[in-house]
Amino acid sequence: MAARTTTPEKRPGFFSQIRTLYTFTQKEYRWLPFLLVGVLLLGVALGVGLGFLLPPVAIWSVILWGVTGLMLGVLASLMTMTRMSTLAMYKKIDGMPGAAGHVLSTSLGRRWQASEMPVGINPKTQEAVYRAIGRGGIVIVGEGARGRLTRLVNDERAKVQRVASGVPVTVLYLGHGSDEVPVGKLASTIKSLPKAIDRATMAAVIKRVESVSQSLSSLPIPKGIDPTKVRAPRPR
């Protein structure tokens, strides 16, 4: 039997994370290298231009401004790649069961509470309903065929309205229809909801809703999404 080791697991370094992030994103956007080089050169050109425009105009001044522009270009390139990696992730999980839960649990921030697990699910068809609670009220997200989601959505809406009377309930359907929300815009749509309750009320609503939530431990969870494989790693 092999002896156990107490050595902590070594985390990937910064440059290793950058390389992984670049590889992940470049698979979806083949033109990513040209975009990043363009952003970098734009930063350098901006720095050199300021060096010639701002007095005193001297070689050392132009060089310093050029280096400053290079640093800004590197920072802007990293920010651009991070943003593109997020778009690549949304593109990759679009249409996969569990995509709504993945977005709700990772992209809403601290002002919202949501779980990656659905609060309602059809075991046969894998239609699922997710819930988020925040300063904008209660949001119910339906994922799957719209027609088969009606009962699940209505049951969840009736449940939360029963224990959180007066709190606004917003229903969103994931998809690409005229009255549906694409997975890439789900988080921003929820965050844009106007504030309707304060923090104390939000905490009370969370407790009330969770107290009546039925356990889904015996129901199969939609397969198809593995967040550890889909989520784009971010540089630290």
Side-chain angles (χ1 to χ4, degrees):
M1 182 176 179
R4 295 183 178 180
T5 176
T6 58
T7 304
E9 182 180 355
K10 186 178 180 181
R11 295 184 177 181
F14 175 77
F15 292 103
S16 177
Q17 293 183 52
I18 292 294
R19 183 169 58 253
T20 303
L21 181 68
Y22 173 84
T23 302
F24 172 84
T25 310
Q26 203 263 339
K27 288 181 180 179
E28 294 294 332
Y29 301 105
R30 296 295 181 182
W31 39 264
L32 179 66
F34 303 100
L35 175 63
L36 298 181
V37 171
V39 173
L40 183 64
L41 293 178
L42 182 62
V44 174
L46 181 62
V48 173
L50 289 175
F52 281 107
L53 292 176
L54 300 178
V57 178
I59 295 299
W60 61 267
S61 176
V62 174
I63 293 176
L64 287 178
W65 276 107
V67 172
T68 302
L70 175 63
M71 296 175 62
L72 291 177
V74 171
L75 178 61
S77 296
L78 290 175
M79 294 175 62
T80 300
M81 187 166 60
T82 300
R83 174 57 180 168
M84 296 305 298
S85 70
T86 302
L87 296 178
M89 179 196 69
Y90 288 146
K91 183 178 179 180
K92 194 174 185 66
I93 69 177
D94 190 13
M96 297 175 64
H102 178 63
V103 173
L104 294 179
S105 62
T106 59
S107 304
L108 290 184
R110 298 180 179 179
R111 295 187 177 181
W112 290 85
Q113 185 181 84
S115 173
E116 193 169 4
M117 306 294 286
V119 295
I121 186 173
N122 186 328
K124 295 182 180 180
T125 62
Q126 292 191 346
E127 269 77 30
V129 172
Y130 299 83
R131 181 184 62 231
I133 302 176
R135 301 293 294 277
I138 302 173
V139 177
I140 299 173
V141 180
E143 179 186 78
R146 184 82 173 260
R148 293 195 294 262
L149 280 168
T150 303
R151 182 176 178 179
L152 288 174
V153 169
N154 290 340
D155 288 347
E156 181 63 23
R157 178 162 45 190
K159 180 176 65 178
V160 297
Q161 287 178 336
R162 185 168 60 250
V163 298
S165 177
V167 177
V169 179
T170 303
V171 177
L172 302 175
Y173 290 93
L174 206 63
H176 296 278
S178 58
D179 56 347
E180 297 175 336
V181 181
V183 65
K185 296 183 179 180
L186 180 59
S188 59
T189 299
I190 295 177
K191 290 180 180 179
S192 65
L193 293 175
K195 294 182 180 179
I197 57 178
D198 55 26
R199 293 182 180 179
T201 304
M202 173 183 165
V205 170
I206 291 174
K207 291 182 179 180
R208 292 174 186 173
V209 173
E210 288 182 346
S211 66
V212 299
S213 295
Q214 298 179 356
S215 174
L216 294 175
S217 57
S218 61
L219 296 179
I221 302 303
K223 305 295 183 180
I225 243 187
D226 186 349
T228 61
K229 295 181 179 180
V230 173
R231 184 184 296 119
R234 297 180 180 274
R236 297 179 180 177

